[in-house]
Amino acid sequence: MRTHWAVVPTCLPLVRRRCHACASERFRPSGKFRVNANHKLIDVWLLVLCTRCGDTAKLAVLERVTVRSIRPELLDRLHHNDPTLTADLLQAPVVQRRNRVALDWDDAWRLDTGGSEHPDGETVDVSVRFAARIPVRPVRLIADGFGLSRAEVDRLIMEGKLVSAVRLRGRLSGDFTFTLKH
Ligand SMILES: [Zn+2]
């Protein structure tokens, strides 16, 4: 049989960044943008708050961009602090690179197995879809999805009963499939 699982965000991820005020290393998105227009140039920042002391930091989204080059629809979303825009920008590789930050997805996602159980005595092909680029360990995902222990999953890999084109013991953040044989 074939089944589909999904890795879905449950909330916004945290931002890994060192706080200059308290040395904490996690910020949470405030959901607010700061837009600064100067003559014909515009700067946009995403505001994040230290999870320990609440200090604000700015993540640069746009730097000295001409106003006319920005779609009016985007400006509108920025001015209204559009929450889906926050999620999109946090995950944008260009924003992460520019600000030298990475995301912390711990406790910010769940596995949706569509209620499928571990079918006894049947080979099952599972395709896993990622709703966002959330780095997870497939072995942990498989253990959760089938209600197995990590040791049991390791044993299935060793016995050749759990196979995939990807490395199941590494980390992944994109769609993959695997097969559990009996
Ligand atoms: Zn702090």
Side-chain angles (χ1 to χ4, degrees):
M1 68 172 276
R2 166 167 287 280
T3 188
H4 299 269
W5 291 359
V7 175
V8 289
T10 51
C11 60
L12 289 173
L14 296 179
V15 176
R16 293 172 190 268
R17 181 195 163 107
R18 194 175 179 78
C19 175
H20 295 301
C22 79
S24 155
E25 298 196 345
R26 295 291 185 279
F27 282 74
R28 64 180 169 79
S30 72
K32 293 201 167 80
F33 296 99
R34 181 172 297 166
V35 180
N36 187 7
N38 189 354
H39 301 295
K40 285 169 182 154
L41 298 176
I42 196 166
D43 288 293
V44 176
W45 297 274
L46 184 62
L47 303 183
V48 293
L49 307 170
C50 173
T51 54
R52 191 186 296 165
C53 75
D55 205 40
T56 305
K58 298 188 296 185
L59 302 184
V61 174
L62 295 174
E63 292 174 304
R64 300 184 69 75
V65 172
T66 56
V67 178
R68 290 171 66 183
S69 70
I70 303 177
R71 282 172 292 124
E73 176 252 358
L74 175 59
L75 272 182
D76 203 49
R77 293 174 79 193
L78 287 168
H79 283 300
H80 289 95
N81 297 313
D82 184 331
T84 60
L85 186 60
T86 294
D88 290 348
L89 289 172
L90 278 174
Q91 292 174 58
V94 62
V95 172
Q96 293 182 19
R97 268 201 309 275
R98 180 174 292 155
N99 295 280
R100 296 192 192 87
V101 295
L103 300 180
D104 177 357
W105 282 98
D106 288 358
D107 305 320
W109 62 275
R110 68 184 170 81
L111 175 66
D112 182 358
T113 60
S116 64
E117 287 296 307
H118 186 183
D120 273 333
E122 208 181 334
T123 291
V124 56
D125 291 310
V126 181
S127 69
V128 184
R129 187 182 60 82
F130 285 67
R133 292 189 60 77
I134 301 170
V136 295
R137 291 183 188 285
V139 283
R140 181 189 156 188
L141 218 60
I142 293 164
D144 286 356
F146 286 133
L148 301 169
S149 69
R150 277 288 303 272
E152 287 173 303
V153 172
D154 280 337
R155 188 173 49 78
L156 288 168
I157 293 173
M158 241 122 69
E159 291 172 350
K161 290 181 176 168
L162 188 55
V163 293
S164 176
V166 301
R167 282 185 56 242
L168 294 173
R169 287 195 178 89
R171 263 177 197 272
L172 277 182
S173 56
D175 299 359
F176 70 98
T177 60
F178 67 89
T179 300
L180 178 59
K181 298 178 195 166
H182 278 275

